Structures are given as structure tokens and as C-alpha cells.
Amino acid sequence: MDIADLRAAHPDHWMNAAAIRTLALDAVAAANSGHSGMPMGMADIATVLWGKHLKFDPKSPTWPDRDRFLLSNGHGSMLLYAVLHLTGYEQATLQQLKDFRQWGSRTPGHPEYGHIDGVDTTTGPLGQGIATSVGFAIAEESLRARFGDKVVDHRTWVFAGDGCLMEGVSQEAIALAGHLKLGKLTVFFDDNKITIDGKTDLADSTDQQARFAASGWHVQEVDGHDPEAIDAAIEAAKADPRPSMIDCHTHIALGHKAQDTAKGHGALTDAEQLQAAKEAYGWNYGPFEIPDEVKQRWEGFGARGAEAHKAWQSRFEALSDRQRGELERIYASEPPKALSGRIKALKKQAADEGKTVATRKSSEMVLEVINPVMKETIGGSADLTGSNNTLTSDLGVFSAENRSGRYIHYGIREHGMAAAMNGIALHGGLRPYGGTFMCFTDYARPAMRLSALMKAPVIYVMTHDSIGLGEDGPTHQPVEHLAALRAMPNLTVLRPADTVETAEAWELALAEVTRPTVLALSRQNLPAVRRKHTGKNLTAQGAYVLAEAEGKRRAILMASGSEVQVALAAKALLEAEEIGVRVVSVPSIELFMEQDEAYRKRVLPAGPVRVAIEAGVRAPWDRLLLGERGREQKADFVGMTDFGASAPAEVLFEEFGITAEATAEKVRALLG
């Protein structure tokens, strides 16, 4: 069916879809940058979805029971911005569309969560949207099981392209969604067979329908420009208990000279070709001009959502005071009042008992206190439950058969797990945490980076945090990973030294609402270093004086996690030689650098020599070692300069020189 036939068969639909296409063309041309082809190719699908199926309210864009929409092929962001404008989102003004990709606008080149209402997640790195959608769908199922379908009953919709499905994370997501039977998740595959380099058959010949079907999905195939076929496919998807993939055969850059070519993927800015495309559409209006009847139809779609929202509000208000208050609390991300007292009690018990415990086990002890009182936590692990210690006795397993469970077996899918946790956190009402080995943050890193970019309060429980894991060897021993994670903006890395610091780290992570947290935890047992109880959360300061010098202070030893005990042992050696040593525990370099200068000077005064100890590479310890005022500071580092090895942990620390004796020798050398 050619464009003339499409226009004639469905004139109102055609003009509604043409509004998306022309706004995309105009915005990309104004910016002289962007991607026109995808919005032009998927406009018909978007028109049917928003016009007949999507549950949303432009006047209340964060309504908890709205449907979620994720643009996994995020380079086509102008499709979403156009729809937000057309349906009446207040922030999506025509001026914002004219300022597409410009400094300070709400319409960046790829959709960014928090920039404009109606964008449910940040996308752009291909595959992230479809992977994140699994978390949104999990969150809906979990909350519906807890609160009932009268107040939790919505869907998750995804647009995804060939590139999204080529990325490896998509298979992790597809397999998990199919296994969990997430029936309220629907993916529209923009099957235009074009990538930047050319036709998709340059690099791929996958039967995507067979792939989804093999993973347990309901699969359909439609003409992506036939509104009746699209509508029928959506109805069938909604009726099926499995997650759905609708393979939409589309033409990239429909109606443009660049249609069905690699050039159609990018910025179509030639004025004559742009005008020719508009003429083919029957669109006789100027740049960014939308006729009143078209705008009214689109705004009518939004008004329909307002009616659904009003009906939901009545059902919400009919809940008991307890249920209504609990829903309001969890969506406001407020920890339960009982949490602080429970953590303080655990800290006191740990300080009094002084047990030697691996911090991964300490974390489990803290979770046994947290999870019963904080019902919105939802845990998981990438097939390392027994090693990460992330499952507590009260959770139960979330599965296709049990939506009330609060523990997810993600399988060996670190990247998919991290992306799904982003979706759970962004959905609202739940606090996700998930575990794997610290070394495998490499596999999860792209989604972790988006956690930080989106300010999503995901908690990453990363155990086996150093060469201290021992015999598994250098493939599993992280040496550069702490430094790499600390280099990421808006990410808090917490490496506690014992059970007390672990409890404080969890308290901080659960209170945080504007950034993700990494908990770096040991495999090996660690002695208690905090033996005096205080209600104050010292870990919140990032670094604090753990042990003061007994005589004149001549050296300051700094350490995190398992190496704090090394610093304390080195202090004992040096104090025996009448060298006064202060030991500073540094569970978080980032949090310490956020403290005011006066506090940092009190903890790390100028004068004494400084040595930092950590079973990782030196970066970024120089920020603490060399001082902040440009003054020459005598300092050194005890840690790793190469990869680890396979041997018992105690042998590795000795062989790599991460010992009290080596530390003491560094201090002596600095003192001359």
C-alpha cells in the first residue's frame, strides 16, 4: 500500500501520524542534528498506541497507575517529544521542540529521565530500554500482588529497533521476561531492516520472531503502517498471558527520498527533500505548524486518560487508611519509621559482641533486620545467592507462579539484572537491590552508568571485593574495579570494614533517593573494628578517625574495608616504636569529599605523613594522600599494581605486600 492509499484509507489517522513525522522533520532540521527516520517509520504505531490503548494523563504525568512507555531506540526521541506535545504535556511546549538538542532544553538528543515529564527512562545506548522494561513489568506485578488490581493495573510498552535486538543485553532481558511470564509487557519491533552501515543483513540474519517465541513470548507480525492491523495486534497482545512481541514491518523515513536507506536513519535536513516529503503526506503547513483539528484529536487522547485517572483516584481513596498511607509512603521513597531503630539496635549488638564476620555475611545480617520492616525492598542475585548473601528468610521468591515473592533469581545475567533494577526503581514503590561478584560490575556497568545518570536509587551488592576472595584467582579478583566505580559521577561506593559499618552503609543506601549505591563486601572474615557503640552514622561522613595516636601524631594511615585491620595492626607496630599513628577508616571517598573543608582538615590535618592501604589500585587515593591545598605532602600507598593470583587469601596479602609490616615500613621511609 503506497502513501496515497494510506492517506485515503484512514484520513484522520494519517494526519495524526503525519503530525509526528513533520514535527520530527522540522525539529531535526532546526537542530541540523538528530534522527528523523525512526519517528517517520513508527509514527503509525505510536498514533494507534496513544490514540486507543495507552493509559496516561498529561495533567498528572507521574500518576502511579499510568502505563509506562520506553523508547528503547532512543535516537528516535523526536517521536516521543512530538507525542508529548501533541497530547498536551505542559513541559513539552512547541518551543521545546524548536530547541531540540540545544543547551538547556528539555528535549535532548536521546530521552533523559527527569528532563521532561513523560519520559519514563533514559535511553540511547541500544538495548537498555527493552532491558529496563523488564523491571517496570516486574514492579507492576509485585505491587499488584500486594495492593490489588483496583489500584495497580497498568502495562509497559516498548519501541525497539534492530540495534536494540542485536545488543546482547536484549537476550538477557527477553529470556528473563519470558521465564517470568510478564504478560503486561509488549514490545513493538521496528523491523525496518536498516542500520547506520546499511541493511541489517550486513551483520545479522537472526529470525527475531523465532527467538522471542523460543523465550516464551507471544509473537505477531503486522504491517507497521496499517492502523487496523496494529490495533488488532495490540488487542491480541493484551489478551495473551505471555509477554508480547509485535514484529512491525516499517519503512524508515517513510515518504522521504531517503526511505529504506541507511541515510534515512540520520538527520534529514535538505530543505527541498523535506518539503517533498511533506507534500507526499498532503501536509500543507509551515514548520512546526499543526492544524487545529489534528491537535484537538491528539489532546482528546490525553483527556481520555484524565477520566481513567479520576476513576483510579476514587478506588485509591476507597482503600483503608493503612493501605493508602503505605502506598503514599513507598511512592514518596520514605523509609519506615521503625528502620532507624532496628539498625541502631543491630549496630549496638555487633559492637558489643565483636564477632569476626565477612562483610557479605554482615550484609545478610542487616537485611534480616531491614526486609521484615521495609516491605518495599525487592532483592535478587545473578545466580550467586549463596555467595552474595542477598536472600533473607522472609522474602519468598518472585516467580511466574508467585508474584508476592520479593526475591528475584536473575540468572547469569548481570547486565540484565542491573537494567531491570533500574526499571524497578524508576517505576516507584519498590527499592531494588541485587548482587554479584565485584569483578562482574564490568558486565553490569552500562546499566549502572544509567543508574547514576538517572539518579535511580538502585543498590548494588558487590561481594568478593578484592584479592581476598582467594583461590578463584585473577579472573575473579577485582583490582581496578573500585577505582573505576569511584570515577563514575553520582555513584556512591561504600566499602565497610565490619558489621557496624555495613549496617551504616545499608542505612545510607536505603535513605538515598538521588543516586545509586555500590556496597563492596568481603568474602573473607574480618574482625570487628568498631567496638564502641554510637548512634551516629559515622560512615555517612565518608571517613572518620577510628583510632587516635597515643603520642605525638606523626603518621596517618587510611584504609577501607578489609584493609582497616591492616592499618590497625601497623599502628600497633609503629606505636611500639613511639611513632604516633592515627587510623582513619574510609568507607567512602566520595562521601568524604562531599564534607565541608573544616571536617576534612580535622580528619586529615597537614603535617603527618600519610599512607593509604587498599587491596586495589592506587586511584583515586591521591585525592586524600597528597592534600588539597597544594602543599607538598609526604605520602605513599600500599596496594595492588597488577592483577592477582590463585592462592589462599592470607598468602596473597603476604605475597602482594598488603601487610602491617609493609605499611609500617612505608611510614618509616617517609619519616626518614
Side-chain angles (χ1 to χ4, degrees):
M1 186 180 291
D2 62 22
I3 286 179
D5 292 335
L6 290 169
R7 287 170 53 187
H10 306 282
D12 286 353
H13 164 86
W14 176 262
M15 291 299 283
N16 291 345
I20 297 174
R21 294 183 170 108
T22 57
L23 284 173
L25 281 166
D26 290 339
V28 170
N32 197 31
S33 170
H35 299 80
S36 314
M38 184 283 247
M40 297 164 73
M42 295 196 79
D44 293 300
I45 305 163
T47 300
V48 175
L49 179 61
W50 263 268
K52 294 188 175 183
H53 298 277
L54 196 76
K55 184 169 67 171
F56 69 106
D57 182 1
K59 305 305 179 187
S60 184
T62 59
W63 166 33
D65 201 41
R66 72 192 185 280
D67 285 357
R68 271 57 168 191
F69 174 77
L70 287 71
L71 191 73
S72 193
N73 41 358
H75 54 272
S77 57
M78 263 311 303
L79 178 145
L80 182 51
Y81 300 147
V83 169
L84 296 178
H85 169 70
L86 291 167
T87 53
Y89 281 76
E90 183 178 346
Q91 293 181 347
T93 63
L94 195 60
Q95 188 60 51
Q96 288 294 334
L97 271 59
K98 293 177 179 178
D99 292 340
F100 178 53
R101 288 181 162 237
Q102 303 309 301
W103 176 264
S105 78
R106 294 184 181 273
T107 50
H110 294 84
E112 294 186 41
Y113 176 77
H115 275 52
I116 190 169
D117 290 335
V119 171
D120 287 315
T121 189
T122 296
T123 54
L126 293 178
Q128 287 296 323
I130 189 172
T132 304
S133 74
V134 176
F136 278 94
I138 288 171
E140 192 275 343
E141 294 279 4
S142 176
L143 289 166
R144 181 154 44 89
R146 182 178 176 189
F147 293 101
D149 59 10
K150 289 184 179 180
V151 291
V152 182
D153 185 17
H154 52 268
R155 294 181 171 273
T156 302
W157 310 89
V158 183
F159 281 8
D162 294 285
C164 295
L165 301 189
M166 288 188 201
E167 291 287 357
V169 71
S170 70
Q171 183 56 37
E172 297 185 24
I174 292 163
L176 182 60
H179 176 72
L180 292 175
K181 295 182 172 61
L182 300 175
K184 292 198 169 188
L185 172 61
T186 300
V187 172
F188 298 88
F189 168 32
D190 181 22
D191 189 3
N192 59 40
K193 296 181 171 56
I194 294 293
T195 63
I196 291 175
D197 279 358
K199 292 185 179 297
T200 54
D201 61 14
L202 287 170
D204 190 63
S205 55
T206 302
D207 183 337
Q208 297 293 355
Q209 292 186 37
R211 176 189 175 203
F212 276 81
S215 296
W217 287 58
H218 173 231
V219 175
Q220 301 175 79
E221 182 177 15
V222 299
D223 179 344
H225 303 296
D226 181 342
E228 291 181 351
I230 296 164
D231 183 38
I234 295 173
E235 290 290 359
K238 289 160 71 173
D240 197 281
R242 296 166 292 178
S244 287
M245 186 273 262
I246 303 174
D247 186 343
C248 303
H249 294 283
T250 61
H251 295 282
I252 197 168
L254 179 73
H256 193 279
K257 183 180 179 180
Q259 178 180 318
D260 299 329
T261 70
K263 181 176 174 54
H265 173 86
L268 305 178
T269 57
D270 181 273
E272 291 185 7
Q273 294 178 12
L274 188 155
Q275 186 58 37
K278 287 187 176 183
E279 290 173 1
Y281 298 158
W283 192 265
N284 303 312
Y285 306 98
F288 297 102
E289 184 181 354
I290 306 295
D292 289 342
E293 64 271 20
V294 173
K295 190 66 163 70
Q296 287 170 7
R297 284 198 294 267
W298 273 106
E299 289 176 348
F301 302 156
R304 185 192 64 236
E307 295 172 6
H309 182 194
K310 183 178 179 181
W312 175 87
Q313 189 67 37
S314 296
R315 297 192 298 272
F316 174 75
E317 290 171 357
L319 294 173
S320 67
D321 290 345
R322 183 190 62 80
Q323 275 198 310
R324 194 168 59 250
E326 183 68 357
L327 267 170
E328 289 172 343
R329 180 188 68 79
I330 62 176
Y331 271 99
S333 299
E334 297 174 358
K337 293 178 180 178
L339 182 63
S340 179
R342 298 289 181 91
I343 289 178
K344 284 185 173 67
L346 177 62
K347 284 172 56 179
K348 185 177 188 308
Q349 179 184 350
D352 291 345
E353 293 179 350
K355 291 182 178 178
T356 297
V357 183
T359 51
R360 62 173 176 155
K361 179 64 177 178
S362 299
S363 175
E364 181 185 52
M365 293 161 57
V366 180
L367 285 170
E368 290 283 7
V369 168
I370 290 168
N371 285 335
V373 297
M374 196 167 181
K375 300 290 188 180
E376 63 268 33
T377 57
I378 184 164
S381 171
D383 198 55
L384 290 167
T385 296
S387 295
N388 300 147
N389 296 78
T390 40
L391 175 61
T392 57
S393 56
D394 64 307
L395 289 184
V397 173
F398 179 91
S399 67
E401 299 72 33
N402 179 27
R403 300 308 201 196
S404 297
R406 292 163 53 203
Y407 191 82
I408 302 168
H409 288 290
Y410 286 103
I412 304 91
R413 303 183 181 104
E414 294 88 356
H415 195 176
M417 175 181 73
M421 288 198 293
N422 282 342
I424 293 170
L426 294 174
H427 178 280
L430 294 169
R431 292 302 303 267
Y433 69 86
T436 186
F437 289 172
M438 172 70 80
C439 198
F440 302 141
T441 55
D442 283 345
Y443 285 5
R445 188 176 178 87
M448 295 177 73
R449 184 173 185 270
L450 284 187
S451 299
L453 183 62
M454 295 187 289
K455 302 180 180 179
V458 176
I459 301 172
Y460 296 96
V461 182
M462 300 303 176
T463 68
H464 297 56
D465 68 347
S466 75
I467 60 170
L469 68 89
E471 291 86 346
D472 274 347
T475 59
H476 285 52
Q477 292 167 1
V479 293
E480 78 278 24
H481 297 71
L482 282 167
L485 291 167
R486 287 167 177 155
M488 190 180 293
N490 203 50
L491 175 68
T492 300
V493 180
L494 293 163
R495 189 169 186 245
D498 66 1
T499 300
V500 173
E501 283 195 356
T502 304
E504 292 180 339
W506 267 108
E507 184 176 37
L508 292 172
L510 291 170
E512 181 58 69
V513 295
T514 61
R515 58 185 170 187
T517 302
V518 170
L519 302 179
L521 306 171
S522 75
R523 174 186 184 269
Q524 72 275 29
N525 289 336
L526 305 181
V529 299
R530 285 274 294 278
R531 299 304 308 279
K532 183 179 179 181
H533 174 65
T534 175
K536 184 178 181 180
N537 189 320
L538 300 182
T539 298
Q541 300 167 126
Y544 62 92
V545 178
L546 176 65
E548 188 52 279
E550 296 175 14
K552 180 182 178 182
R553 185 172 57 237
R554 300 179 63 196
I556 298 175
L557 301 181
M558 297 175 278
S560 75
S562 52
E563 287 70 69
V564 172
Q565 61 176 312
V566 175
L568 291 170
K571 169 183 168 65
L573 292 176
L574 292 164
E575 295 278 5
E577 302 170 21
E578 298 185 349
I579 299 174
V581 177
R582 168 184 283 186
V583 172
V584 175
S585 179
V586 189
S588 175
I589 291 177
E590 305 83 61
L591 291 182
F592 181 64
M593 296 308 296
E594 290 174 5
Q595 305 305 305
D596 60 60
E597 185 179 11
Y599 176 76
R600 298 198 305 270
K601 285 181 179 179
R602 288 199 303 273
V603 174
L604 298 178
V609 300
R610 301 180 187 181
V611 175
I613 315 152
E614 189 171 72
V617 298
R618 180 165 177 156
W621 281 96
D622 280 349
R623 297 171 71 187
L624 278 61
L625 286 170
L626 302 181
E628 301 179 52
R629 295 176 297 282
R631 182 181 301 174
E632 185 67 26
Q633 180 73 51
K634 290 186 176 182
D636 210 336
F637 180 73
V638 174
M640 299 294 293
T641 58
D642 204 341
F643 294 108
S646 177
E650 60 273 16
V651 173
L652 292 171
F653 277 91
E654 185 70 33
E655 292 294 333
F656 285 107
I658 306 175
T659 64
E661 291 77 10
T663 302
E665 185 54 40
K666 294 274 190 184
V667 171
R668 296 186 194 103
L670 289 169
L671 291 172

